[in-house]
Amino acid sequence: MVYPIENAAPALLSPDNQKLLDHWIALRGSEPLPRRSHFDPMAIPAFLPYTVMLEPTAPGVALIRTFGSELVRRLGLDPTGENLLTLYPPDESADIASYWEQLVSEKLVGASQTQWSTTSGYQVTSENLWLPFLGDDGTITRVLGSIREITEEMAPTEDLGGSVSNAHRASHRGCYRF
């Protein structure tokens, strides 16, 4: 599936995701994308518990280099070192992989929402922001993700089921170039 590309910044619901996007925009300056070498994680310490750093190593691979401590606590697992794209249920992995490939190959910012069902039936919505960084060779070498719950009341941690298999198809998935 090919997603339409919007020539504007995404309209984000999470104030923290908006602040992270603003930081990324400041890093890029007048360039289309910031360089990985210009990114200092210690400049955004309050955001780190909710971030994931991905490395595109091959088509269909989004290797998880770091996974924020709050994400680990909320999900009950630490998938560092795994391919993010293989963590989703098989019926959704092809669509997720297609979205990822478009973001990386076309050097786009991504934003989506994911619906989660907990074991007790609680519905959680997360807003997911994907910010690409260029390596010295001009290719995407890292993608910084921020995953923030945007539901009014956060689900109990022990209720998230310990797996991303409880995530349902992302809605409002978008690709942005601005």
Side-chain angles (χ1 to χ4, degrees), residues 116-130:
W116 303 74
S117 294
T118 69
T119 53
S120 65
Y122 187 89
Q123 298 297 310
V124 176
T125 302
S126 66
E127 180 178 71
N128 316 304
L129 177 63
W130 306 105

Side-chain angles (χ1 to χ4, degrees), residues 7-23:
N7 292 311
L12 300 170
L13 298 175
S14 164
D16 290 320
N17 276 349
Q18 184 61 55
K19 289 176 189 170
L20 190 59
L21 176 62
D22 293 343
H23 177 76

Side-chain angles (χ1 to χ4, degrees), residues 77-155:
L77 61 94
D78 184 356
T80 299
E82 296 185 43
N83 179 1
L84 176 71
L85 307 178
T86 63
L87 298 178
Y88 288 90
D91 62 326
E92 295 183 29
S93 61
D95 192 35
I96 299 289
S98 175
Y99 181 61
W100 169 256
E101 288 304 316
Q102 186 175 355
L103 293 179
V104 171
S105 67
E106 298 187 40
K107 301 177 181 176
L108 303 171
V109 169
S112 64
Q113 293 179 7
T114 302
Q115 308 297 317
W116 303 74
S117 294
T118 69
T119 53
S120 65
Y122 187 89
Q123 298 297 310
V124 176
T125 302
S126 66
E127 180 178 71
N128 316 304
L129 177 63
W130 306 105
L131 302 168
F133 288 91
L134 294 175
D136 292 335
D137 64 356
T139 64
I140 302 292
T141 59
R142 295 289 191 277
V143 176
L144 178 65
S146 176
I147 302 170
R148 294 292 188 142
E149 284 184 40
I150 56 173
T151 43
E152 273 189 42
E153 181 182 346
M154 292 178 73

